[in-house]
Amino acid sequence: MSRTPLSPAHARWLLALSDPEGPGPDLSNLSPAAVPELLAAARAHLVLPVLWRRLREMRTAETAVALDKAHRELELLTAHGLLLTHYAGRIAAGLAPAQVRFAIVKGRAFAALYPHASDRPFTDIDMLVQPEDRAMVEATLEALDFVPAPRKTIDHSAAYGEFKWTARQAPNVLVEVHLNLVHYPLLRRTVSLSLDDLYAFGGAEAPAGRLIVAVAHAAAGHKFHALRLIVDVLQAARAMEAQTAQAFAETAVRRGWALEAGIALDLAARLYGDERAASIAALLPSTPARVLAARLLSETAILDAPQHGIASRLRRTLVRGLQHVRPARRR
């Protein structure tokens, strides 16, 4: 991955082309020489499928190598997604007799929000379960020939409430069992997304549930380190009707997610000029922390994030600090 920042012109192209439902800019104004750089940036920001779909008509001798490489990568991701979907079905069937409550979240659920499911590939199966049901879920995984994934030397599984399993016959099939989608214990003092919290938003398949998971993934997990996190928020907002949006905002305030939801929706609205995201954001309280976060999370800070730029990391870390200094949540 190149560490050279995108030029302002190419940054505008990346944003315009990474919107799955945007009208798409006039490609006649794009130089073929820019295509490999844009595809490399899209790969770093995890939005390669959308850019490849929009840029494939520009296949020439100059762009063929980059476009064909991207196509091969996407074919593998699509095939892997089908394999994961198969295993997710087996796991759901295995848990059905025990009537264990769980939710499949993030990647597979987000893909349903995109106009083309292949626009949002995923590389694992994320399950959110109740802490008291973890033993039953893991026993079911063992019965389906899953084994615990190798642990790192410094293992945070217990503290983060995240336990990884792989299929014995297909080690590239990864299942992550989550007890809470807010992994960091210090942050969990102020905000939580357990299975019960998710049900307060209507569950994993509800528009509000998908939006709050997208918000948590971007703001409480990865600190907006790639455009795909923001596009997930964008797509979840677009899937929400006005009446549902009001209920979402009220639940976000009640459950302590108003700051994160406001930050994420502000960012999606600003980067992609989306009125739906802006209208939902307007339902949430404006606070000094949210206003400051909007100043910190500039377009450049987001676009430079995959390159591990010092300024980007500092700005995004300061936003995480704003999340920490709130009063502890009510239990």
Side-chain angles (χ1 to χ4, degrees), residues 184-212:
Y184 305 112
L186 184 60
L187 186 57
R188 213 181 300 138
R189 292 176 55 252
T190 59
V191 70
S192 167
L193 194 57
S194 65
L195 190 60
D196 282 342
D197 293 318
L198 182 57
Y199 282 139
F201 286 91
E205 301 300 319
R210 285 178 172 158
L211 179 53
I212 199 59

Side-chain angles (χ1 to χ4, degrees), residues 208-230:
R210 285 178 172 158
L211 179 53
I212 199 59
V213 171
V215 166
H217 195 209
H222 295 288
K223 293 188 290 190
F224 303 102
H225 83 312
L227 277 177
R228 186 172 74 181
L229 298 164
I230 301 160

